[in-house]
Amino acid sequence: MQHGPAVRRRKLGAELRALRAGSGLTSGEAARLLGWHQSKVSRIETGTSGVKPADVERLLDAYGVEAPELRQLLVVLAGSEGNGRHHWWHAYRGVLPPAYRDFISLESGASRMRTLETSVVPGLLQTPDYARAVTRAAVDGLEESKLDALVEVRLARQDVLRSDPPLRLSAVLDEAVLRREVGGPEVMARQLGRLREAAILPQVRLQVLPFAAGAHIGVTGPFVIFSFPNTTDLDVVVLDHLTSSLYLERKEDLQAYTEAFNALQFHALSPEDSLDYIAGIADGA
């Protein structure tokens, strides 16, 4: 269990090590090709030191890696400006804690996101008013300008659902998410309407876990599983805490949370029934 930056360095290093081995080069040979010391390549591959995006590009060139999606992902993990789409949040670094920036970076590079939410609507599906109410409640005494900025970030994150290709989002929502009146009746009514709109998008699979399902494996708290294109080695589980996020990337952890999410989907209502359930709550049924 590690914090975000350490996980990102380790995963990037492991992927670069695998690509080097696949190209038939030793770490010493790779270093000589680039005019580096062999120790630099070793530190990068073990994740003990960071690596500049430009150096990642050079390594990928040396290893003959041409797949654009894989190259882009590894550059993003290195903290690159990429093509500009992935690091828009740098403009907000004055108000975003490092853990949140790292979460957004992973979210922007992921191809799939599976999430269990037990208290609030997922950030990618929040309306502006709901996002404002949640943020105000979560951060006591927040200045209005910072509140505005954090809401802007929340809404900008939603672009991943409209990108090409879009992020594929699978969300299981505990019924408490739908019943908790955040921001007042009108705000909540619009939010439920937004969920109904999102539920019919082809890239979104939304399921409700009703109170009638009883105790379930998700009672221990919400979690997110990020998956990435072209490789499963970079998948990561994110657990949110009050002051930080924890990242789980061991194969055993990934398997356990994947099985847990599959079980939650099995016990939840189908996407079609979930849509009707949300509509019933919205209509006061």
Side-chain angles (χ1 to χ4, degrees):
M1 183 164 59
Q2 303 178 52
H3 292 281
V7 169
R8 191 160 60 176
R9 286 197 304 269
R10 191 205 66 80
K11 287 183 173 293
L12 175 61
E15 188 67 15
L16 290 172
R17 182 170 63 249
L19 291 170
R20 174 184 56 73
S23 72
L25 294 173
T26 66
S27 59
E29 289 168 340
R32 284 194 293 275
L33 275 175
L34 298 173
W36 297 348
H37 291 294
Q38 190 270 340
S39 60
K40 178 174 179 176
V41 175
S42 295
R43 290 195 304 272
I44 291 171
E45 292 184 352
T46 57
T48 55
S49 68
V51 54
K52 296 178 180 178
D55 286 343
V56 171
E57 295 274 16
R58 294 183 65 194
L59 287 168
L60 296 177
D61 289 341
Y63 303 157
V65 178
E66 297 180 355
E69 287 186 352
L70 180 58
R71 289 182 67 101
Q72 184 183 65
L73 172 60
L74 297 180
V75 168
V76 166
L77 288 176
S80 156
E81 290 295 331
N83 60 9
R85 179 172 68 89
H86 290 290
H87 278 245
W88 52 265
W89 57 89
H90 280 184
Y92 297 93
R93 58 186 175 273
V95 296
L96 296 181
Y100 193 17
R101 293 200 300 269
D102 204 66
F103 181 90
I104 298 173
S105 176
L106 291 172
E107 183 179 73
S108 295
S111 59
R112 184 184 182 195
M113 176 179 175
R114 286 164 284 178
T115 181
L116 165 70
E117 288 292 350
T118 58
S119 298
V120 297
V121 170
L124 295 183
L125 303 179
Q126 292 178 7
T127 65
D129 289 338
Y130 185 98
R132 179 173 295 276
V134 165
T135 304
R136 181 179 280 118
V139 187
D140 188 45
L142 193 62
E143 297 175 11
E144 200 66 23
S145 60
K146 290 185 177 180
L147 175 61
D148 290 341
L150 289 173
V151 172
E152 287 177 14
V153 169
R154 184 71 53 88
L155 300 179
R157 282 173 48 202
Q158 297 175 4
D159 284 346
V160 294
L161 294 176
R162 297 182 287 269
S163 60
D164 186 19
L167 174 74
R168 290 180 292 123
L169 173 64
S170 296
V172 174
L173 309 184
D174 189 276
E175 184 172 344
V177 173
L178 310 176
R179 299 286 185 185
R180 178 169 288 105
E181 196 173 273
V182 174
E186 292 183 3
V187 170
M188 202 62 204
R190 288 192 292 271
Q191 179 59 69
L192 292 176
R194 168 66 180 135
L195 288 177
R196 294 164 70 182
E197 293 170 359
I200 62 175
L201 295 174
Q203 65 270 35
V204 175
R205 180 182 176 89
L206 190 62
Q207 292 179 260
V208 174
L209 195 63
F211 289 148
H216 54 77
I217 198 167
V219 295
T220 54
F223 60 86
V224 174
I225 307 173
F226 284 122
S227 298
F228 297 88
N230 300 310
T231 176
T232 59
D233 292 338
L234 296 176
D235 289 4
V236 61
V237 176
V238 184
L239 306 178
D240 269 340
H241 294 265
L242 184 62
T243 57
S244 65
S245 296
L246 294 177
Y247 294 69
L248 310 178
E249 37 81 32
R250 297 184 309 162
K251 291 190 186 305
E252 311 92 275
D253 295 324
L254 288 165
Q255 181 177 351
Y257 277 88
T258 297
E259 290 175 355
F261 190 79
N262 291 341
L264 289 164
Q265 285 190 309
F266 178 79
H267 291 291
L269 299 176
S270 70
E272 296 76 19
D273 289 343
S274 295
L275 192 57
D276 291 339
Y277 205 80
I278 294 171
I281 292 175
D283 295 338

